[in-house]
Amino acid sequence: MQVNHQWFVSFAVAMSVFASCRNCAFGRPRILFHLLYSSLREHLRFQLVCINLANGRFGSLVALARHDGSEREVGLALLEVRRMLEVGSAGLAAARITDDRLQAMESAIAELRRADADDDVDAAAAADLDFHNHIIKAASNPFVSVTFAPLRDELVVARRITSSCHKVRAHAVTQHEHILTALRLGSPDAAQAAMRAHMDQTTNDLLEYIT
């Protein structure tokens, strides 16, 4: 059976949102959340059993995404989800970000630049993730954070792969600088455009440098 990576990732993300929201609701809304979450969980479990991924138990998001897919395919599927989440989050962050967080993001760029010069892949991946995590936090929307959470393990794996290439790291430094400039301006439109350009660049890098 052919696996639609984006569908499964999106479905699992939706389940994570409901799992968190049901703990915040009371009375009748909480009952409805519980029923809907249970239905989503059982439907996904059934689909996984049908393709022998879960053996009757809920599988991990990483296993779903990596089933029968190359690093490039997984990275592209992940970027589609990241584009949906991070472009909008950049717009929210532009209106809400603090000076302290802007300074922390500048430090993350400096660390990425240093790691690139030293060819330190792990440090580069960590600095890249740190920069993007600041944007998610600066959006100051709990639903954004909850939706993003299931992707974190896969993001670590993906960053280590892309950070192994000097050209990809260099492009990331440039794109991060553009995003930071837009955030300093406090312009949601400029921040969204800068993040969208970053996603475009990363997509092009995956197609060119990652197999």
Side-chain angles (χ1 to χ4, degrees):
M1 179 178 179
Q2 183 65 34
V3 179
N4 184 324
H5 298 111
Q6 184 181 5
W7 185 89
F8 275 117
V9 170
S10 300
F11 202 100
V13 167
M15 284 188 60
S16 175
V17 174
F18 280 110
S20 298
C21 289
R22 65 177 180 159
N23 293 325
C24 301
F26 299 93
R28 183 178 177 83
R30 181 166 186 164
I31 294 173
L32 293 175
F33 269 124
H34 177 75
L35 291 174
L36 184 53
Y37 172 76
S38 297
S39 297
L40 285 169
R41 182 189 60 202
E42 292 306 315
H43 179 68
L44 182 55
R45 177 183 293 146
F46 174 77
Q47 294 295 329
L48 296 177
V49 171
C50 288
I51 58 175
N52 297 318
L53 276 179
N55 294 321
R57 302 182 65 181
F58 186 69
S60 72
L61 183 61
V62 174
L64 291 178
R66 293 195 171 277
H67 178 73
D68 196 30
S70 68
E71 298 293 355
R72 177 190 289 176
E73 289 170 339
V74 173
L76 291 173
L78 186 60
L79 274 169
E80 289 178 346
V81 180
R82 286 185 59 198
R83 186 186 295 269
M84 288 187 286
L85 295 175
E86 295 195 53
V87 171
S89 295
L92 292 175
R96 302 171 180 177
I97 197 164
T98 64
D99 290 339
D100 287 345
R101 195 171 295 282
L102 287 170
Q103 183 61 46
M105 292 177 71
E106 186 173 346
S107 297
I109 294 175
E111 175 60 17
L112 179 55
R113 188 181 292 109
R114 182 205 64 76
D116 178 39
D118 293 344
D119 198 25
D120 187 337
V121 174
D122 287 341
D128 193 345
L129 285 166
D130 187 37
F131 181 89
H132 286 271
N133 285 339
H134 279 299
I135 294 175
I136 297 300
K137 292 176 182 178
S140 302
N141 185 309
F143 289 98
V144 171
S145 298
V146 166
T147 304
F148 204 74
L151 303 176
R152 295 194 187 281
D153 288 345
E154 185 62 21
L155 285 170
V156 171
V157 176
R159 283 306 203 292
R160 285 175 179 159
I161 293 169
T162 55
S163 294
S164 65
C165 177
H166 162 67
K167 289 186 178 180
V168 176
R169 296 193 302 258
H171 290 160
V173 169
T174 299
Q175 295 297 327
H176 286 189
E177 289 174 337
H178 293 167
I179 293 169
L180 183 59
T181 297
L183 291 173
R184 287 192 187 281
L185 291 173
S187 170
D189 289 342
Q192 288 183 0
M195 181 61 75
R196 191 176 295 111
H198 183 23
M199 295 295 104
D200 290 342
Q201 180 66 62
T202 304
T203 299
N204 292 336
D205 285 344
L206 269 175
L207 292 172
E208 184 170 357
Y209 302 114
I210 307 300
T211 58

